[in-house]
Amino acid sequence: MLQIPFIRDNKDRIIANLAKRNIDATEMISEVLTLDETRRSTQAQLDNTLAEANTLSKEIGMLFKSGETQKATILKGKSANLKELSKELTETLNEVSEALSQLLYKIPNVPNDSVPAGSTEDDNEEIFRAGDIPTLYDGAMPHWELAKKYDIIDFELGNKIAGAGFPVYKGKGARLQRALIAYFLDKNTAAGYTEYQLPHLVNEASGFGTGQLPDKEGQMYHVTADNLYLIPTAEVPGTNIFRDVVLNESDLPIGITGYTPCFRREAGSYGAHVRGLNRLHQFDKVEILRVEHPDNSYTALDGMVAHVKTILEDLKLPYRILRLCGGDLGFTSALTFDFEVFSTAQDRWLEISSVSNFETFQANRLKLRFKNKDGKNELAHTLNGSSLALPRVLAGILENYQTEDGIVIPDVLVPYTGFSIID
């Protein structure tokens, strides 16, 4: 959520940068400033009225003590009017404050100046590419056919148990999945991230805190009886660790990592680009999150990007990095870099990580602050990234490492799997 003082001081820049998201925010921002002015003037009126009522109350008490009952009675009538006025002003203030909050919840984060303008993923900017795309043997298969051939993932069984988008991993497929999770966590903790095991359901306040609510309510599974939501990413419970927390400046930076299953209702569309592991309702992901001093958050973002690079280089997968355009940028993000691996069998790029800086957008919702060197509370910056989302990484491994004799396991994973080939 944007801060009111920031909006007051940067109205033109905010409108210009939100235009990168293809949003004309002129009317919304003007309405925010109008509501804020009304809120402040109403608050001032209320404060003055309460102060006057307090002074009058003391005066009435002194008049009664001195026996000037008639004067006291007259002032009591004036006091009653002030109380009624303060009640009306309080109701107005609450209504205006609620309207302002609801409007602010609808405004996405302001893109960083480096974010390119654009409407769709086709307008994203490729900034890095590495790794050799392998030449596969004649008859090479996409991962959903390999999964069936080697009996390592059963999509039909998942459909029977739950529905489309809920695969069942079997045998060496399940072992490879577990190996990836363990390897990612070990890689992250070696880089200084503290591992957490997090809840897989969150309350409404947590959803609002990180910006999934109300923006993505339709994409989240809602347990209505308990008003809880299945998490779409570990970002939600992980970042909410710090909701309503005031840190010391010396506590920063904070880095955590955690593995969770993720649940998303998004149905997508039909076709090969959503077949198999390409788009799921339930999938596994290892996340990294950071809480940073505002002065250091973009250096930290570069560090997170460099860290994810090392994972893909260890796996020896061909990949590229995209700077997302405004039209493809997430609601809460100021700047996002997407990582994609190349699927040789599908001849397409598959997104496997997003690394984002939210600046103060989430922290303002979360009331996540730190005491700066002057002893004043200041909003922290939050960042997060996938390291990594498993389905498309697994798809990339199955497809790029396939041979006529079987699927070779990347060297870095063999100590975790206990086998070097799926055959």
Side-chain angles (χ1 to χ4, degrees), residues 143-416:
H143 69 269
W144 54 86
E145 293 181 11
L146 292 167
K148 189 169 186 178
K149 176 181 178 180
Y150 294 107
D151 195 26
I152 53 175
I153 308 172
D154 195 325
F155 295 100
E156 288 76 17
L157 183 57
N159 192 27
K160 170 187 173 182
I161 295 169
F166 296 90
V168 174
Y169 299 86
K170 302 166 60 178
K172 287 186 175 181
R175 186 66 178 265
L176 178 55
Q177 182 88 339
R178 179 156 54 94
L180 282 165
I181 293 167
Y183 160 65
F184 293 155
L185 288 171
D186 284 352
K187 188 79 174 177
N188 295 344
T189 54
Y193 291 89
T194 301
E195 183 178 350
Y196 279 70
Q197 287 192 352
L198 298 161
H200 300 165
L201 292 98
V202 293
N203 56 29
E204 197 170 64
S206 295
F208 272 96
T210 46
Q212 276 69 31
L213 297 175
D215 180 55
K216 292 182 172 62
E217 185 168 10
Q219 296 180 25
M220 297 174 71
Y221 286 98
H222 189 193
V223 184
T224 54
D226 301 297
N227 198 26
L228 294 173
Y229 293 85
L230 275 71
I231 59 170
T233 166
E235 170 198 342
V236 183
T239 309
N240 272 277
I241 291 170
F242 306 100
R243 175 156 46 91
D244 298 319
V245 169
V246 179
L247 300 164
N248 294 314
E249 189 167 355
S250 59
D251 295 328
L252 303 176
I254 296 172
I256 72 171
T257 186
Y259 151 71
T260 64
C262 304
F263 304 88
R264 299 184 185 179
R265 294 185 63 239
E266 54 186 358
S269 54
Y270 295 97
H273 66 292
V274 296
R275 287 192 64 182
L277 298 172
N278 288 347
R279 182 168 293 167
L280 302 174
H281 291 307
Q282 178 182 329
F283 61 94
D284 292 323
K285 183 154 68 85
V286 175
E287 199 82 357
I288 50 175
L289 303 106
R290 298 193 69 83
V291 181
E292 290 281 348
H293 190 287
D295 293 346
N296 303 328
S297 69
Y298 278 94
T299 300
L301 181 66
D302 291 341
M304 294 170 75
V305 169
H307 175 67
V308 175
K309 277 184 178 181
T310 65
I311 295 175
L312 290 167
E313 286 161 4
D314 284 352
L315 292 172
K316 294 182 172 59
L317 288 171
Y319 72 96
R320 67 177 183 175
I321 304 174
L322 306 175
R323 190 198 316 267
L324 295 195
C325 71
D328 204 28
L329 198 64
F331 183 84
T332 55
S333 178
L335 177 61
T336 294
F337 295 102
D338 268 9
F339 284 74
E340 297 181 338
V341 296
F342 190 76
S343 161
T344 307
Q346 297 181 65
D347 192 29
R348 59 187 293 259
W349 293 96
L350 306 174
E351 180 196 333
I352 45 85
S353 176
S354 289
V355 183
S356 303
N357 189 347
F358 307 109
E359 296 185 356
T360 60
F361 193 83
Q362 288 183 332
N364 193 27
R365 289 175 172 234
L366 294 159
K367 295 183 174 58
L368 164 53
R369 297 150 292 172
F370 68 95
K371 283 197 177 296
N372 63 24
K373 60 185 178 182
D374 298 322
K376 295 180 179 178
N377 288 346
E378 184 177 345
L379 290 174
H381 279 196
T382 61
L383 305 90
N384 88 279
S386 315
S387 67
L388 293 163
L390 271 75
R392 293 171 184 170
V393 172
L394 186 59
I397 290 172
L398 296 180
E399 294 180 0
N400 290 329
Y401 276 86
Q402 63 178 301
T403 70
E404 293 182 273
D405 299 320
I407 301 163
V408 177
I409 301 300
D411 292 341
V412 73
L413 295 178
V414 172
Y416 293 91

